[in-house]
Amino acid sequence: MADTAARLYLITPVLEDASFAPRLAEACATGAVAAVLLRLGSADERSLINQVKALAPAAQEHGAAAIVSAEGEADLATVAARGGADGVHVPGDPARLRELRDRLKSERVIGAGSIRTKDDAMTLGEAGADYLLFGEPRPDGSVPSLESVVERASWWAEIFETPCVAYAPSLDAVEPLAATQAEFVALGEAVWSHPDGPAAAVKAALEILNRQEASR
């Protein structure tokens, strides 16, 4: 179980080029972001590598790890290694996760999401995931109920040592998710669409996490 405040994990929209880098840098410049999932669209390997090279420093220069996922059939291990990312993120596919683990060894983080059941979560943990992501938006943009994500993250954090990330669809969801003892709380659209900008959203989330930690 986590014995310190949950840390922030940001998830970008699906990116087709590197134009998102300034907004990413603004969010990460707060120094409060532990990791960013760069969701890349479907493109050829060279284009994806170039995107990562252009985007990852916007996070890494502020102390945040850059994790990559991609639509389509991209070779994520190659994209991450040649692009300079810190890790990769895959949908809940134990076979693919094991293959990436064999290739990347312990050199890069491997995360898993799109987890439907508790059995799926345990299988992915056993396959070598470095973290599990619960509650992220589905391909159609919908999200599971907050109650179900709180239940799943609480269950995982209490029993298993592999860290988990709990996705908050809004800033209001940060506090109940942090209370699950999840090591990370993820934010996506709540940061990028915040009326005062990404940095203001990150700072607001950090204040909630710190308040929650102080009240334990």
Side-chain angles (χ1 to χ4, degrees), residues 1-214:
M1 291 187 6
D3 56 6
T4 57
R7 303 193 66 199
L8 288 173
Y9 176 113
L10 300 186
I11 300 177
T12 72
V14 176
L15 306 175
E16 303 296 343
D17 54 41
S19 62
F20 197 74
R23 299 187 73 202
L24 188 59
E26 181 187 339
C28 294
T30 58
V33 178
V36 176
L37 175 58
L38 302 172
R39 297 171 62 210
L40 308 180
S42 183
D44 64 87
E45 197 170 280
R46 181 184 295 274
S47 297
L48 292 173
I49 290 168
N50 288 336
Q51 263 187 274
V52 175
K53 285 181 176 179
L55 289 162
Q60 294 165 332
E61 289 171 3
H62 301 290
I67 314 294
V68 295
S69 69
E71 297 178 349
E73 301 300 316
D75 180 352
L76 272 184
T78 299
V79 171
R82 294 187 181 171
D86 300 290
V88 299
H89 182 91
V90 294
D93 181 344
R96 188 178 184 198
L97 199 153
R98 279 190 287 266
E99 184 249 338
L100 285 167
R101 183 88 282 163
D102 287 343
R103 292 177 61 196
L104 293 172
K105 310 301 182 191
S106 59
E107 294 172 9
R108 284 178 169 79
V109 170
I110 303 177
S114 303
I115 301 163
R116 292 188 297 268
T117 68
K118 289 182 176 180
D119 281 345
D120 287 347
M122 290 187 284
T123 301
L124 290 164
E126 291 165 0
D130 291 303
Y131 71 83
L132 299 186
L133 171 58
F134 295 118
E136 78 273 25
R138 304 180 183 103
D140 66 1
S142 65
V143 293
S145 71
L146 180 59
E147 292 77 16
S148 68
V149 180
V150 166
E151 186 276 331
R152 187 65 54 86
S154 298
W155 163 76
W156 184 268
E158 183 175 355
I159 300 173
F160 301 96
E161 292 194 4
T162 300
C164 73
V165 185
Y167 179 80
S170 68
L171 287 174
D172 289 341
V174 171
E175 186 170 1
L177 290 172
T180 67
Q181 307 289 309
E183 286 82 358
F184 300 91
V185 172
L187 285 165
E189 195 56 30
V191 167
W192 313 120
S193 64
H194 193 281
D196 296 324
V202 168
K203 288 173 183 173
L206 185 63
E207 287 174 7
I208 295 167
L209 292 178
N210 289 339
R211 277 203 309 273
Q212 201 278 336
E213 172 65 14

